Amino acid sequence: MNMAKRVEAVDVTAYYGSFKAIDSITMTIEPKSVTALIGPSGCGKSTFLRSINRMHEVTPGAKVQGKLMIDAEDIYDPRVDVTAVRRAIGMVFQRPNPFPTMSIYDNVVAGLRLNGVRKKSTLDDAAESSLRAAHLWGEVSDRLKRPGGGLSGGQQQRLCIARAIAVEPQVLLMDEPCSALDPISTLAIEDLIGELKDRYTVVIVTHNMQQAARVSDRTAFFSIESTGDPGRLVEFDDTTKIFQNPGEKKTEDYITGRFG
Amino acid sequence: MSESPMPTKVGPDPTVHSGPTLGGGAALPRAGRGLERLFRWFSTGAGVLVLVVIVAIAAFLITQAIPALRANQANFFTSTKWLPNDVAHPRFGIAALAYGTVLSAAIALVIAVPVALGIALFLSHYAPRRIATGLGFVIDLLAAVPSVIFGLWGRDYLSGPVTDLSGWLHRYLGFIPLFGSGGPYGNSILLGSIVLAIMVLPITTALCRDVFVQTPKANEEAALALGATRWEMIRTAVLPYGRPGIVAAVMLGLGRALGETIALAMTLGATFGVSIDLIQVGGNSIAANIANGFGEANATGRGALIASGLLLFAITLIVNVAARAIIFRRREFVGGQS
Ligand SMILES: Nc1ncnc2c1ncn2[C@@H]1O[C@H](COP(=O)(O)OP(=O)(O)O)[C@@H](O)[C@H]1O
Ligand SMILES: [Mg+2]
């Protein structure tokens, strides 16, 4: 079953109360690719990422304007069920956040259970295949009933990835998934991202430019004029182009470390 | 849970701050050290004093109770009779009173806990902030109402509606032994339990709300990002996380219900019997019986009441210790998460 989908943002503007955090972001993210969002801190990378699965509006007072199409369906259409959107788009957060009271197994199948899957064999299969895809199976297969909170940080993050992909999402969003991890776990997750793009549309926020260069096919550079201004998309192109021959002076300054 | 790292700091440790952090560990000036020693003596003394007072109370109660227990011609634990004032044949037992105490508290919790959970979730996850603050304030006010007011209100106002309710329950659910009585209705376990339920509602609600608002945002967002509705998010993230806290809140509510005196003295039927029937006039509790009986009791009668009080003391102590143990376990568990 393969359902990777195209993400198309058209003039996406997002607010926290009256504060405009990102302004008119327009970009198209192709299916089965890895797209990196880079830029200085506070430029709205997380905000844009969270507007792709409508998690932005979870913050009180936050709202999104513009259109966000997942394969031609506007997810901000009032008739769209927000929970259906989130079920179709997986998310991995900056800090690993497995459900602390649940076992490893229950964490992985949590999304399936929310979808109403009760059959044990289906859950077992999904748990195994997701944990294998997340490169965690070998380490936890003998202790699936133990709490997820007992794993190391890197293992917890892979558990969260397994939980996100267990429901076979169309798009996978990752917000600095390695920023709280040690270098070895980081490498493991970067390898994993390379494999995930065979099946999913992956969007990853990172403040680590080497990481963006290593894992992504396309890179979007976001920036702000000065604090208090909304974040804007400066340049969006193939990763090799962004890093070797950027079209914008601002991008070049950021890549070469003269800014940010 | 068990293999998550334990928090290293549980509370303020006086030794950690006993010296200045700057200046290479130079000693405190003399006055500062003296003050600190004084404070340590003072706080240790206060702690010891509390223990001494508790032991003194227990010793006093036991010495008062022993003569009556010696004179008792019935089994104190199994008898349902309460005739300690009979000079020739004093006989009394705790069975009916202990049964009524536990039954009324249990029914009160059955009524109060679902309501408390509902209100607490509404306050923590559904209501807009202004309404949550206002309603929270009202609930706290409810906790400040003296129990004699609840007793008066239960006896004079609520007993009418509860009489009607009893008749209704008997008519439609009379096949259940709980509602088997054909009457008379009024001052019954049901009335006492409803009043008790209202009295334990504030503390249980407030504690549950505090537990629920502490749910880590990260866990709530994890559930929402999987496509959970708000209720599903509460079921996957909020309730499991808060379960130890809920248990503790219920146990503290139970402690309050078990010890409640005057409101039950005014709303229970003050009979001595063991019955599963909730709606017939009757019911009694240890504390209510003490309040009702102390005035007319002779020396043996007072001793008997004190003996019953000791038993109540033991029951509430166990409940409170259990509640605190659960709260403490939860603290370790939350500390291990971060
Ligand atoms: N919950 C919030 N409430 C108010 N402002 C926020 C909130 N989250 C982020 N912001 C603001 O929105 C802007 C963009 O933030 P964010 O998307 O987190 O940036 P990035 O992920 O690129 O570091 C920043 O100015 C930040 O201060
Ligand atoms: Mg961010």
Side-chain angles (χ1 to χ4, degrees):
Chain A
M1 194 162 36
N2 205 311
M3 307 183 297
K5 293 206 171 165
R6 174 177 289 103
V7 178
E8 212 176 330
V10 183
D11 277 333
V12 169
T13 300
Y15 297 84
Y16 292 98
S18 58
F19 171 66
K20 191 194 273 187
I22 50 172
D23 188 25
S24 301
I25 308 292
T26 298
M27 64 191 283
T28 301
I29 297 166
E30 293 300 330
K32 295 197 192 182
S33 68
V34 177
T35 299
L37 310 181
I38 62 169
S41 141
C43 68
K45 306 179 295 290
S46 297
T47 304
F48 177 65
L49 192 77
R50 289 164 62 90
S51 62
I52 299 178
N53 67 341
R54 294 190 61 173
M55 281 298 285
H56 176 68
E57 64 205 53
V58 167
T59 307
K63 63 174 188 292
V64 176
Q65 289 168 354
K67 269 190 177 173
L68 217 151
M69 324 285 277
I70 305 284
D71 263 12
E73 188 190 9
D74 182 6
I75 61 165
Y76 283 100
D77 187 303
R79 283 164 299 186
V80 167
D81 174 10
V82 58
T83 62
V85 171
R86 294 188 191 139
R87 270 162 215 221
I89 303 177
M91 185 165 218
V92 176
F93 295 79
Q94 190 164 350
R95 294 188 66 91
N97 57 354
F99 297 118
T101 54
M102 285 187 197
S103 68
I104 293 170
Y105 178 91
D106 289 337
N107 261 287
V108 180
V109 301
L112 289 167
R113 290 215 168 110
L114 284 172
N115 284 343
V117 179
R118 289 282 173 275
K119 208 169 142 206
K120 180 145 189 325
S121 59
T122 314
L123 294 176
D124 287 351
D125 292 348
E128 178 168 349
S129 64
S130 315
L131 283 169
R132 279 189 195 283
H135 292 204
L136 193 57
W137 177 254
E139 288 154 71
V140 302
S141 59
D142 57 342
R143 46 173 168 156
L144 293 175
K145 296 294 169 198
R146 305 279 286 280
L151 300 172
S152 75
Q155 290 174 324
Q156 287 191 16
Q157 194 62 303
R158 279 177 281 151
L159 176 60
C160 292
I161 293 174
R163 179 177 67 188
I165 60 182
V167 288
E168 301 267 343
Q170 300 156 353
V171 179
L172 187 61
L173 309 176
M174 303 177 133
D175 192 351
E176 304 196 25
C178 303
S179 66
L181 306 183
D182 61 278
I184 293 176
S185 307
T186 300
L187 271 182
I189 289 183
E190 286 182 9
D191 286 349
L192 170 57
I193 292 168
E195 291 168 22
L196 290 174
K197 78 168 176 186
D198 295 341
R199 303 168 67 197
Y200 305 104
T201 308
V202 180
V203 186
I204 176 171
V205 172
T206 175
H207 60 232
N208 177 334
M209 280 180 281
Q210 285 79 32
Q211 183 169 68
R214 281 193 299 264
V215 303
S216 70
D217 305 300
R218 307 263 293 167
T219 296
F221 172 59
F222 283 63
S223 190
I224 37 173
E225 292 296 322
S226 57
T227 41
D229 288 337
R232 292 198 169 84
L233 177 61
V234 176
E235 189 171 355
F236 178 40
D237 214 323
D238 288 343
T239 298
T240 44
K241 172 112 186 342
I242 292 276
F243 281 94
Q244 285 163 16
N245 184 21
E248 296 280 333
K249 175 86 172 50
K250 271 197 218 161
T251 316
E252 188 180 345
D253 287 351
Y254 183 74
I255 302 288
T256 53
R258 257 171 289 177
F259 163 68
Chain B
M1 235 189 301
S2 53
E3 65 244 78
S4 47
M6 293 293 154
T8 46
K9 264 198 282 179
V10 190
D13 177 350
T15 59
V16 171
H17 302 291
S18 60
T21 46
L22 299 173
L28 272 176
R30 265 194 69 79
R33 223 170 354 158
L35 262 181
E36 185 177 308
R37 198 179 303 158
L38 187 73
F39 181 73
R40 198 180 304 160
W41 276 108
F42 178 74
S43 49
T44 315
V48 171
L49 189 68
V50 170
L51 275 179
V52 169
V53 168
I54 290 180
V55 171
I57 291 175
F60 171 78
L61 291 179
I62 290 170
T63 48
Q64 295 285 301
I66 283 174
L69 289 173
R70 284 239 175 81
N72 190 7
Q73 295 184 356
N75 185 316
F76 176 67
F77 292 103
T78 58
S79 170
T80 60
K81 296 207 166 58
W82 195 264
L83 302 162
N85 297 316
D86 183 327
V87 183
H89 304 285
R91 46 201 193 284
F92 56 91
I94 199 73
L97 296 173
Y99 175 80
T101 304
V102 173
L103 181 65
S104 57
I107 303 291
L109 288 185
V110 167
I111 300 168
V113 169
V115 179
L117 286 178
I119 299 175
L121 281 176
F122 177 72
L123 294 177
S124 65
H125 283 86
Y126 285 91
R129 175 168 288 155
R130 277 198 18 230
I131 295 179
T133 320
L135 192 58
F137 180 68
V138 171
I139 304 248
D140 290 342
L141 264 186
L142 205 56
V145 175
S147 41
V148 66
I149 304 288
F150 280 109
L152 279 171
W153 174 73
R155 188 189 66 184
D156 294 343
Y157 171 77
L158 202 61
S159 79
V162 168
T163 301
D164 298 341
L165 174 66
S166 301
W168 187 90
L169 286 170
H170 177 66
R171 190 158 343 116
Y172 295 103
L173 300 169
F175 58 91
I176 303 172
L178 295 174
F179 313 119
S181 165
Y185 305 129
N187 283 14
S188 58
I189 290 277
L190 183 64
L191 176 63
S193 299
I194 290 174
V195 172
L196 260 190
I198 297 168
M199 295 176 68
V200 302
L201 195 62
I203 182 167
T204 313
T205 305
L207 285 170
C208 287
R209 173 195 56 192
D210 291 350
V211 169
F212 294 155
V213 296
Q214 278 174 27
T215 316
K217 267 254 130 26
N219 294 337
E220 297 186 2
E221 293 208 334
L224 291 174
L226 284 173
T229 62
R230 198 187 314 224
W231 170 237
E232 286 166 340
M233 180 270 280
I234 285 170
R235 262 180 23 211
T236 17
V238 179
L239 292 180
Y241 174 85
R243 188 156 50 208
I246 297 171
V247 174
V250 170
M251 305 270 287
L252 289 180
L254 180 62
R256 164 136 209 216
L258 289 171
E260 178 47 42
T261 306
I262 198 71
L264 284 183
M266 295 167 97
T267 51
L268 292 181
T271 58
F272 293 88
V274 173
S275 164
I276 190 68
D277 194 297
L278 304 181
I279 58 178
Q280 78 192 357
V281 166
N284 214 334
S285 83
I286 297 175
N289 183 53
I290 294 174
N292 284 332
F294 215 86
E296 295 105 60
N298 60 21
T300 312
R302 275 201 297 280
L305 292 172
I306 287 170
S308 73
L310 268 171
L311 196 91
L312 178 62
F313 182 52
I315 297 176
T316 45
L317 202 68
I318 291 167
V319 168
N320 275 297
V321 166
R324 253 151 249 277
I326 292 166
I327 293 174
F328 188 72
R329 239 194 26 222
R330 167 164 189 279
R331 193 177 301 150
E332 286 179 349
F333 159 77
V334 172
Q337 273 315 305
S338 54

